[in-house]
């Protein structure tokens, strides 16, 4: 007898503050990764599918994302800079010779 099947795993990647496209409220959204794995004798062997989504904590609506969109949102939550723009929460570099506290 061979016992096989699938099992789902949900990983919470980040919590972001975004404006919900459904209810319009600026609220926390959880960024989640859902992985479905093939199991043989209750041992997970390899992933069958990987899906990304955000869920609004205010109204509960879930929005699907592509892998690239999810990686970009996760990078923004950790404060990594993207291209010419500065990452969220990073201080702007000061110019030499200027002290903001002097008049």
């Amino acid at each position: 007898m061979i016992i096989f099947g699938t099992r789902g795993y949900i990983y919470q990647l980040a919590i972001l503050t975004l404006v919900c496209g459904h209810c319009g409220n600026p609220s926390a959204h959880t960024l989640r990764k859902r992985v479905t794995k093939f199991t043989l004798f209750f041992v997970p062997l390899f992933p069958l599918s990987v899906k990304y989504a955000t869920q609004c904590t205010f109204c509960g609506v879930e929005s699907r994302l592509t892998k690239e969109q999810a990686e970009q949102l996760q990078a923004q939550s950790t404060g990594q800079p993207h291209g010419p723009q500065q990452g969220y929460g990073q201080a702007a570099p000061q110019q030499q010779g200027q002290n903001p506290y002097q008049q």
Side-chain angles (χ1 to χ4, degrees):
M1 176 183 351
I2 297 176
I3 301 172
F4 64 94
T6 60
R7 181 167 183 194
Y9 298 89
I10 297 176
Y11 302 99
Q12 183 170 319
L13 302 176
I15 297 178
L16 310 161
T17 302
L18 302 170
V19 176
C20 181
H22 181 72
C23 66
N25 289 313
S27 61
H29 286 66
T30 56
L31 177 61
R32 295 182 180 164
K33 176 181 176 180
R34 182 174 297 145
V35 181
T36 303
K37 292 186 178 183
F38 176 78
T39 60
L40 182 64
F41 293 107
F42 306 104
V43 177
L45 295 177
F46 55 87
L48 294 175
S49 71
V50 178
K51 297 176 183 174
Y52 296 90
T54 59
Q55 185 175 18
C56 177
T57 58
F58 190 81
C59 67
V61 73
E62 190 170 299
S63 303
R64 296 186 107 191
L65 301 172
T66 64
K67 182 179 179 180
E68 292 79 22
Q69 291 171 329
E71 288 174 351
Q72 184 180 19
L73 284 173
Q74 188 176 11
Q76 286 177 359
S77 73
T78 59
Q80 296 176 359
H82 299 285
Q85 299 176 352
Q86 294 178 348
Y88 180 77
Q90 292 182 341
Q94 284 188 343
Q95 296 177 356
Q96 285 187 343
Q98 288 185 346
N99 187 350
Y101 300 109
Q102 289 181 346
Q103 291 185 359

